[in-house]
Amino acid sequence: MEMTSKDLTSFLRPQEPSTTVQQVARYSSQDFDSSEIIGLENDVKTIKEWILWPDEEILKVGIVGMGGLGKTTIAQKVMNDREVRGYFEKMIWVSVSQNFDEERIMRSMLEQLQLGQEGLGSDKGQMLRRIHQLLEGKSFLIVMDDVWNIDFEWWRRLSSNLPTPTEKSSCFIVTTRNEDVAFGVDSYRINRPKVLNPEESWSLFSKFAFSARKGICPNSHFEKVGKEIVEKCRGLPLAIKTIGASLAPKIHSLTEWKKTRDDFDELTTRGQTSSVLASLQLSYDELPSLLKTLLLCFSIYPEDSVIHTEQLIHWWIGEGLIRSTNGRTATELGFEYLSELAGRCLVEVVQQ
């Protein structure tokens, strides 16, 4: 899900670890929190070297690994890199997810290439030809994020016969949990991110859990409990930052930290719940009732839908979920609640 239209920066408080940009979403574009790159720097460096000094006219890179490992974050960082952005003439980000829909994918590509929806039509062959026309003679970087499965015949039609400029190469990056997908799209290079080591895990956790203290742990008691929690995250960045963000408001209560540790331990030792799901479950359980209701509103949208920020807030207001109070407008409160969800890493703030 994605949000645009209104700058959230002024609503994001300093202690919140989220990015200071304009959208709330899963991610479909080029801005994000660089603090999440801990432990992934070498992956970013390697992929950047592959695409800036390629040995193929159209390089295909696969980023492969389990959920929560940081694949999307790596691709975000690569796409945001100043040298990379200066190298390519066209850049496209497409969120694919579990339900592969070639029409939706091509429509998203055309919208980004044409910066609008004029004349898109619904003929798939026509859309594919239009994509080729708009890329003709230009160097491009296309990221297809979170690909669970793919129509390989469609992929061959998309990637074959794409024109390339004489002086520069182009690149596809595919992030996936399925190695068969990476091989199926003929990835010439494959990057496999590793889980974070204990030091990296603690550093990332500290940025979120102790964000009000600039990442500095207040004392050894919190450090002991925090490291016990981090160990349960098994080096997965998504689990680490989510559980860390949920603990940030409790920085003055060691008792609350211990309770979270015990609850997290119970969830993950059952053998049926991953550390990522456990961190999300605990983060949701800790929300005030109103924020739970607002977060559940996202569930009516299909995965990776584009949702304008103001549109969502107006919906909340129209449903009577938020009202003006104490001299503050309902819209102001809506942005505050939205930034609170972002600060807890339950939605992401990004820039399209």
Side-chain angles (χ1 to χ4, degrees):
M1 289 167 289
E2 193 165 301
M3 314 227 142
T4 66
S5 298
K6 181 84 172 178
D7 194 339
L8 289 174
T9 302
S10 60
F11 294 90
L12 293 171
R13 294 178 290 279
Q15 69 268 25
E16 294 175 346
S18 305
T19 59
T20 55
V21 287
Q22 291 177 325
Q23 300 170 307
V24 175
R26 172 172 163 42
Y27 186 91
S28 78
S29 186
Q30 296 86 28
D31 211 351
F32 66 102
D33 188 353
S34 60
S35 69
E36 299 176 28
I37 295 301
I38 291 173
L40 304 175
E41 297 90 349
N42 288 337
D43 299 282
V44 172
K45 179 181 178 182
T46 296
I47 295 174
K48 180 182 171 183
E49 290 174 350
W50 287 347
I51 65 179
L52 292 182
W53 293 277
D55 45 15
E56 294 282 319
E57 284 189 342
I58 299 182
L59 180 66
K60 297 171 184 175
V61 175
I63 305 176
V64 182
M66 70 179 76
L69 198 54
K71 302 182 297 297
T72 297
T73 301
I74 292 170
Q76 290 170 355
K77 175 61 177 176
V78 170
M79 201 170 191
N80 266 280
D81 183 87
R82 185 178 62 180
E83 289 183 88
V84 171
R85 296 182 69 81
Y87 182 88
F88 294 105
E89 297 171 81
K90 295 289 184 180
M91 304 183 75
I92 300 172
W93 182 286
V94 182
S95 295
V96 180
S97 61
Q98 296 187 49
N99 297 318
F100 182 83
D101 184 337
E102 60 188 67
E103 181 178 340
R104 181 182 65 82
I105 291 170
M106 289 190 291
R107 189 172 295 277
S108 176
M109 295 174 70
L110 283 168
E111 288 174 355
Q112 293 177 62
L113 287 170
Q114 297 181 161
L115 301 179
Q117 302 185 27
E118 299 81 1
L120 290 184
S122 59
D123 182 86
K124 296 178 184 178
Q126 184 181 23
M127 285 194 283
L128 190 58
R129 288 190 293 273
R130 183 58 177 156
I131 290 171
H132 283 210
Q133 291 172 359
L134 292 169
L135 293 176
E136 185 172 4
K138 298 179 175 64
S139 60
F140 60 83
L141 171 62
I142 298 175
V143 176
M144 300 185 70
D145 181 47
D146 195 25
V147 182
W148 288 58
N149 55 76
I150 195 167
D151 182 333
F152 295 115
E153 179 58 35
W154 173 85
W155 171 261
R156 282 189 285 272
R157 293 198 307 271
L158 172 67
S159 60
S160 64
N161 303 317
L162 277 173
T164 56
T166 56
E167 296 182 358
K168 292 182 178 180
S169 67
S170 294
C171 180
F172 283 99
I173 295 178
V174 174
T175 76
T176 180
R177 306 179 188 197
N178 187 348
E179 194 163 277
D180 290 340
V181 168
F183 287 121
V185 299
D186 301 319
S187 296
Y188 183 71
R189 303 276 189 176
I190 294 183
N191 172 262
R192 296 179 178 84
K194 296 180 174 58
V195 296
L196 304 185
N197 63 37
E199 182 180 350
E200 293 164 342
S201 296
W202 177 249
S203 180
L204 180 61
F205 176 83
S206 297
K207 280 183 175 292
F208 286 87
F210 310 123
S211 54
R213 301 174 55 88
K214 299 182 178 179
I216 299 174
C217 180
N219 58 57
S220 61
H221 301 294
F222 279 95
E223 181 176 354
K224 180 179 183 296
V225 176
K227 287 187 174 179
E228 290 173 351
I229 293 172
V230 168
E231 184 179 2
K232 287 290 180 182
C233 293
R234 296 182 173 87
L236 292 173
L238 180 57
I240 293 168
K241 71 174 187 177
T242 304
I243 197 70
S246 72
L247 287 167
K250 306 174 184 178
I251 192 60
H252 300 297
S253 176
L254 185 60
T255 300
E256 287 295 319
W257 273 52
K258 289 180 177 179
K259 181 179 183 300
T260 298
R261 176 199 60 192
D262 296 340
D263 292 343
F264 195 54
D265 184 68
E266 181 181 353
L267 285 171
T268 55
T269 52
R270 290 174 184 170
Q272 299 178 343
T273 306
S274 71
S275 57
V276 172
L277 290 177
S279 65
L280 293 172
Q281 178 67 57
L282 290 174
S283 297
Y284 174 79
D285 290 343
E286 291 296 328
L287 289 175
S289 58
L290 175 58
L291 288 184
K292 284 182 179 178
T293 301
L294 298 181
L295 182 62
L296 288 175
C297 289
F298 287 91
S299 65
I300 74 164
Y301 295 96
E303 188 174 4
D304 300 319
S305 294
V306 176
I307 311 169
H308 290 270
T309 303
E310 290 180 333
Q311 180 187 68
L312 180 69
I313 292 175
H314 289 162
W315 175 40
W316 287 345
I317 295 172
E319 292 291 334
L321 298 176
I322 50 179
R323 296 183 175 87
S324 301
T325 182
N326 296 328
R328 306 183 64 191
T329 67
T331 299
E332 289 174 334
L333 291 172
F335 277 101
E336 180 176 319
Y337 296 145
L338 206 47
S339 68
E340 177 71 15
L341 292 173
R344 291 172 180 260
C345 297
L346 294 172
V347 294
E348 288 184 47
V349 179
V350 299
Q351 172 85 40
Q352 186 171 18

